[in-house]
Amino acid sequence: MNDPTNAATLNAKQSAKLLGVGRTRWWQLRKQFGLQRVAWSSEGRPRYRREDVLAIREKVPREDGLIEGSPEWLAEITRLAQEAAEAAGEPGR
């Protein structure tokens, strides 16, 4: 199945996921950065250009406060992976 966040346009839910924020924070950021929907999308179901969403990704921290790729982020991802492995009955490292 294709990852919808690789599409040329994204809806609000996909945009929030790409930024690593919740939908409420997404709407705040959209307003803060003046992000406009693509002209052919409706106001009720707006879509945004993926490149426009990515342009603001570097300007805002994730809701969990971690910056993707940082040592703290990598440590957290590793911890979560170990927890998942242990929960599945696989021995941890």
Side-chain angles (χ1 to χ4, degrees):
M1 188 158 127
N2 290 338
D3 181 3
T5 57
N6 284 332
T9 64
L10 307 170
N11 63 26
K13 185 176 180 180
Q14 294 164 334
S15 298
K17 180 180 176 184
L18 185 61
L19 293 178
V21 299
R23 289 184 59 193
T24 299
R25 180 68 176 136
W26 157 249
W27 290 111
Q28 293 168 346
L29 292 171
R30 181 196 59 82
K31 185 174 181 180
Q32 177 183 348
F33 292 101
L35 193 63
Q36 299 295 313
R37 65 181 172 83
V38 291
W40 53 263
S41 67
S42 70
E43 287 189 38
R45 292 189 180 265
R47 295 195 62 88
Y48 305 92
R49 292 179 352 150
R50 185 175 192 274
E51 62 191 52
D52 292 344
V53 174
L54 288 172
I56 65 172
R57 182 164 70 175
E58 298 301 319
K59 299 176 185 176
V60 294
R62 295 168 46 104
E63 283 185 342
D64 58 13
L66 300 176
I67 298 171
E68 191 170 334
S70 70
E72 296 83 8
W73 180 82
L74 292 171
E76 179 66 7
I77 295 299
T78 301
R79 184 187 67 77
L80 292 172
Q82 287 174 344
E83 283 181 5
E86 290 171 4
E90 299 173 10
R93 290 186 194 185

